[in-house]
Amino acid sequence: SYYNLAYCYFQKKEYSTALKHFTTYLSIDNYYDKTPDIYLDANMRSADCNFILKKYEAALDNYDYVISKNSKSADYALFQRAMILGLQNKPEDKINSLKRIAKEYPKSDLNDDAIFEIAATRNQQGQYDNAIKAYQYIIDNFTRSELLSKTHLNLGTAYRNKNNPTDALTEF
């Protein structure tokens, strides 16, 4: 099947070829009705291929489709969507997509990543107080996050940028 072939190319990181086969699979009528999970996954992998190939609008279309169907991977699609919006220099749209993850998928494994990205975006915008609050939220609420050391480092940087060297030193 085109889907299996596409996945083989996807795993080999041959994204252009994978995308061609995912697109062929998606163009065949009635696959959503017969196998919705596979159809949604093919959309997700098409989105990932488009993202990697820097075809951002096409990737957004695929991610938005997955989100609209309330897929079990919709949180991931929202996160990837936010990353694209950041690359397109749309920081507020990026943040809004990231906030939706916590709101719509409170048990998502991506919540700490989403909050971290919100904090990093606020830090880049010079909104240090908002960044500090978000970094502190991660430290207080995601005690097992793989992002903790990076969060402390970025929190220290935000304090330094805010001319607060004492608090910065406690985080470094």
Side-chain angles (χ1 to χ4, degrees):
S1 113
Y2 291 108
Y3 175 80
N4 292 332
L5 189 58
Y7 236 101
C8 289
Y9 284 109
F10 185 82
Q11 290 175 328
K12 290 172 60 176
K13 300 184 184 333
E14 294 181 27
Y15 299 112
S16 291
T17 306
L19 179 60
K20 182 178 94 176
H21 292 295
F22 281 127
T23 302
T24 301
Y25 171 82
L26 291 168
S27 70
I28 297 172
D29 287 339
N30 297 321
Y31 268 17
Y32 180 76
D33 293 332
K34 293 177 186 171
T35 53
D37 288 344
I38 294 172
Y39 191 83
L40 288 171
D41 187 67
N43 266 284
M44 182 74 78
R45 298 307 145 226
S46 293
D48 290 340
C49 290
N50 279 316
F51 189 175
I52 291 165
L53 297 169
K54 297 184 173 146
K55 297 178 181 179
Y56 298 135
E57 292 306 317
L60 285 173
D61 288 343
N62 289 118
Y63 288 132
D64 286 343
Y65 181 81
V66 171
I67 294 163
S68 76
K69 294 296 183 184
N70 259 342
S71 162
K72 60 186 173 191
S73 302
D75 58 339
Y76 171 80
L78 269 170
F79 188 84
Q80 294 299 90
R81 181 182 199 288
M83 296 303 97
I84 291 171
L85 293 168
L87 290 169
Q88 293 178 325
N89 201 24
K90 298 175 182 174
E92 294 309 315
D93 293 337
K94 173 185 177 181
I95 287 170
N96 289 334
S97 285
L98 292 167
K99 285 180 177 179
R100 283 182 60 193
I101 295 171
K103 183 178 178 186
E104 297 173 27
Y105 307 96
K107 295 182 190 248
S108 171
D109 291 337
L110 293 172
N111 276 319
D112 57 338
D113 297 273
I115 296 166
F116 184 87
E117 284 296 326
I118 290 169
T121 302
R122 293 298 188 213
N123 207 16
Q124 291 168 352
Q125 293 175 313
Q127 296 180 21
Y128 304 122
D129 289 332
N130 289 331
I132 289 166
K133 285 178 194 170
Y135 288 131
Q136 195 60 56
Y137 185 84
I138 294 170
I139 292 166
D140 294 342
N141 295 285
F142 296 93
T143 57
R144 296 178 188 244
S145 173
E146 294 178 10
L147 294 170
L148 277 180
S149 60
K150 199 172 176 182
T151 299
H152 281 287
L153 179 65
N154 285 15
L155 179 57
T157 302
Y159 279 130
R160 187 191 70 213
N161 290 340
K162 200 177 166 198
N163 290 322
N164 189 339
T166 305
D167 286 336
L169 284 174
T170 63
E171 299 301 328
F172 287 131

